[in-house]
Amino acid sequence: ASLIGDRSLVSRLAMVLSQMEGKYPLEERKKKIHTISSFVSVAEQFADVRYAEWGLDLLKKSEQQFPEERLCTLYLMLAISFVYNQDWEQAQDCLKRIGKKNFPPSSGITWEPDFLRFFILVEKGTPDLWDSMYRSVLRVAKKTERQYPATVLKIYRKIKLSTDQKSIENTALKSLEGIKALLDSPGEKQAGFYFNFLPWLESTATGKSSVEIIQAREKEKFEAIISRMA
């Protein structure tokens, strides 16, 4: 069950906005942009697929109101939420809307769209395309000059190529501490700002879903947000 109830202020605002058609005065447009951004942030932070679906619907209707860089960032955040929920089709839809853009350093987006495309391809079970795409994504990851992206990619590939379940669980468990330590090191945290690989690793090691892990971790934060909104 979702930890995010309909009493959330963001939910109430988004529900109202989703029922409004087309034309907004300037102040309403500003409110709409702020609300969609908040809505998408909640969907990504809590891996809540219901919020992701609502956010995607609102965003598609309002694309022209966002600068391109911000629009792509929001689509990336939605794609990540759908990936955590294993909704590959909607994740791919978001990634298609991003396209193959070269993002400026200010966006913080570097390797994530390419990695997510590879991740979805593997999870959907198309092994004949793995090798060529893996090499391509690895080149992108190395260009970031951070260890986290390439490390995540190599661990993921190792796990997916393994056929022994015990070995898979052990690799995931050992990698958890290594990734945590890496993200605590100077310069690496930003590389994991959008896509956090830890829930997937923990899910692989324990059998719990990534969504369950994320929502349990964020429950305390979420309750604090709701109490401030009440």
Side-chain angles (χ1 to χ4, degrees):
S2 169
L3 292 169
I4 304 175
D6 289 332
R7 62 198 176 106
S8 161
L9 176 61
V10 173
S11 175
R12 291 201 301 272
L13 286 171
M15 289 287 284
V16 170
L17 287 169
S18 68
Q19 294 166 6
M20 297 170 69
E21 292 296 332
K23 297 178 181 178
Y24 297 88
L26 179 59
E27 288 309 308
E28 283 297 323
R29 280 206 305 276
K30 288 179 180 175
K31 285 181 187 175
K32 183 178 177 69
I33 289 172
H34 174 73
T35 301
I36 293 173
S37 298
S38 300
F39 203 32
V40 172
S41 295
V42 171
E44 193 260 350
Q45 182 178 356
F46 297 101
D48 191 292
V49 72
R50 184 180 48 161
Y51 273 59
E53 287 170 348
W54 290 343
L56 180 58
D57 181 57
L58 286 169
L59 192 56
K60 284 178 178 178
K61 293 174 182 175
S62 311
E63 286 188 343
Q64 71 282 0
Q65 300 193 45
F66 288 87
E68 185 180 46
E69 184 181 318
R70 180 61 180 157
L71 184 66
C72 290
T73 300
L74 292 171
Y75 275 127
L76 174 63
M77 293 166 72
L78 286 170
I80 290 167
S81 185
F82 285 126
V83 162
Y84 283 139
N85 283 276
Q86 299 184 13
D87 188 336
W88 312 127
E89 300 307 316
Q90 296 215 73
Q92 285 179 314
D93 181 24
C94 293
L95 292 170
K96 281 177 186 174
R97 291 173 185 277
I98 295 172
K100 286 281 189 181
K101 294 181 176 62
N102 292 316
F103 294 94
S106 60
S107 71
I109 300 173
T110 52
W111 64 293
E112 296 89 350
D114 294 277
F115 175 76
L116 290 174
R117 290 184 185 99
F118 174 69
F119 184 93
I120 292 168
L121 183 80
V122 174
E123 294 299 313
K124 287 180 74 175
T126 46
D128 52 317
L129 299 174
W130 283 23
D131 282 346
S132 61
M133 196 166 183
Y134 171 78
R135 290 192 295 271
S136 173
V137 178
L138 186 59
R139 283 194 296 272
V140 173
K142 286 180 176 178
K143 283 180 184 177
T144 67
E145 299 181 353
R146 298 286 185 270
Q147 294 181 52
Y148 175 75
T151 302
V152 163
L153 184 59
K154 289 173 183 178
I155 291 170
Y156 178 68
R157 184 174 184 269
K158 180 179 179 181
I159 288 173
K160 297 307 291 188
L161 288 177
S162 178
T163 56
D164 179 70
Q165 186 58 34
K166 195 65 181 172
S167 174
I168 289 170
E169 291 170 5
N170 287 339
T171 300
L173 200 57
K174 288 177 184 176
S175 300
L176 269 171
E177 293 309 312
I179 292 291
K180 285 177 184 175
L182 188 59
L183 287 174
D184 284 337
S185 62
E188 294 295 332
K189 193 164 189 139
Q190 185 62 33
F193 180 76
Y194 287 111
F195 183 68
N196 188 342
F197 190 56
L198 292 174
W200 186 87
L201 277 178
E202 189 174 338
S203 172
T204 303
T206 64
K208 295 178 183 177
S209 74
S210 295
V211 172
E212 183 183 355
I213 290 162
I214 291 167
Q215 292 188 344
R217 184 191 66 201
E218 298 292 338
K219 185 174 187 293
E220 200 170 304
K221 293 180 189 175
F222 167 72
E223 288 173 344
I225 291 170
I226 289 299
S227 67
R228 289 198 299 271
M229 288 177 173

